[in-house]
Amino acid sequence: MLNPKTIRADFPLYTEHPHIVYLDSSATALKPKAVLDALDGYYRIYSANVFRGLYGLSERATAEYERSRDVVAHFIGAQSSDTVIFTRNATESLNLLAYSLGNRIIQKGKRVVVSMAEHHANFVPWQQIAMKHGAEFVVVPCDSDGKVELHDDASIDKIVTKDTVLVALFWVSNVLGSVNDIAAITKKIKQKNPNTLVVVDAAQAVTTFPVHVTELGCDFLAFSGHKLFGPTGIGVLWGKKELLEDMEPFMYGGDMIERVSVTESTFAQLPHRFEAGTPHIAGAIGLAAAIEYIAGVGVHNAHQHTQKMIKHALTGLARFKHIRILGSSDPTKRVGLVSFVHDRIHPHDLGDILSKDDVCVRAGHHCAMPLHTHEGIAASTRASTSIYTTTDDIERLLAGIKKAEQILL
Ligand code: PLP
């Protein structure tokens, strides 16, 4: 079991703000000193562009950038590092896929499937490409535990047809905290139609579950560095090699070409054909440091700790008669985040009152408007925990809600 008070010593933000109750790690996690040092090291000691200079600094920057790719590949169980594409974030990873692959395969007469609880990043790109080409866009609901209703053969049979070219699903919902059994769903989808591609949005899963892309059986997987204690501006798209090789570049420019003439251009091999222009070198290096940091803590320990915190939160929230939890109230069926609605207090008012006591939560639709509309609400409040969350933090959240009720009801 990890000790969040010891962990806090690794996070300089707590030195600056010793009284802060940071319950918004699902939006972005705090950054450990190891990540800040890695960023600082690049900018201070070997700041140079990659792949371009025949001098020591550039060679070191290139080596560290490519080492970071190896670290990511190992972290997600990818068989080769060239299947790891650095992007800006999960959103860009999914858009890259939608443009480069979706535009080709999502055509009239074909079907693309998402769930009702997708983040807009894994909903809108597929919706827009489907609309553009006149393809069918199917949105599958979630059950009362917040899992996509694709568990059994009957639902798979209905949703996955011979024309279903792609299914894009969250692994962990950023609103419901629910967990899709990706390996089982993928297996069933592939049994029904081996040509259906499965895209996994792992943005909220990478801090909680060990990732092994081969065991998941999916075709593509996307996540952001900043939710994994890494810097903002760096993300990852992993894909099966033969599928990536078959895709058109997403952006054109420097570093992604093989040869350019006035009449034609040919493109670099993987992964560089998808990384046009100067990449976020420091970001990739910082992400590797973040992955090494969380590996030291242990993803399993992180999961156990955040589940303990959310169990505490769920027990406390259950005492408020005006509060409704979105998703399961059973902590074993969710990860360390909880979204809820108060039937008398708007989430923005609650968030505002909490913030006056240094309690940071997220209020709004959390980029999941279809889900909120389906639930008959415009917004909710979300508290999300991490390895540095303490029971004291949860108590201060509960005390803040009580205070808001005293002020507003
Ligand atoms: N998918 C999920 C489930 C998320 O929670 C988020 C961000 O909150 C994203 C995708 C998009 O991440 P980013 O904004 O880093 O691209």
Side-chain angles (χ1 to χ4, degrees), residues 26-28 88-94 117-122 170-175 201-205 222-227 233-234 362 366-367 382:
S26 289
T28 196
R88 278 190 305 146
N89 44 39
T91 303
E92 186 176 289
S93 300
L94 294 161
E118 295 312 314
H119 187 283
H120 295 164
N122 198 31
F170 67 87
W171 186 347
V172 166
S173 160
N174 65 315
V175 179
D201 173 0
Q204 295 291 346
F223 66 94
S224 297
H226 67 97
K227 293 182 199 287
I234 187 80
R362 176 99 183 254
H366 321 307
C367 301
R382 181 181 72 192

Side-chain angles (χ1 to χ4, degrees), residues 99-110:
Y99 279 86
S100 292
L101 175 84
N103 263 321
R104 197 182 74 223
I105 64 167
I106 300 171
Q107 293 296 332
K108 198 167 170 54
K110 302 294 181 193

Side-chain angles (χ1 to χ4, degrees), residues 229-293:
F229 310 103
T232 53
I234 187 80
V236 169
L237 172 68
W238 168 85
K240 282 186 180 156
K241 193 165 180 167
E242 64 278 15
L243 296 171
L244 287 172
E245 276 174 339
D246 206 27
M247 278 162 49
E248 289 291 306
F250 173 50
M251 286 196 284
Y252 300 103
D255 281 343
M256 56 74 64
I257 47 90
E258 186 184 55
R259 270 182 64 81
V260 178
S261 74
V262 289
T263 51
E264 63 163 7
S265 299
T266 54
F267 307 115
Q269 299 294 312
L270 291 178
H272 304 290
R273 64 186 302 163
F274 292 111
E275 292 180 6
T278 300
H280 187 3
I281 305 162
I285 291 164
L287 173 58
I291 288 173
E292 283 162 348
Y293 175 79

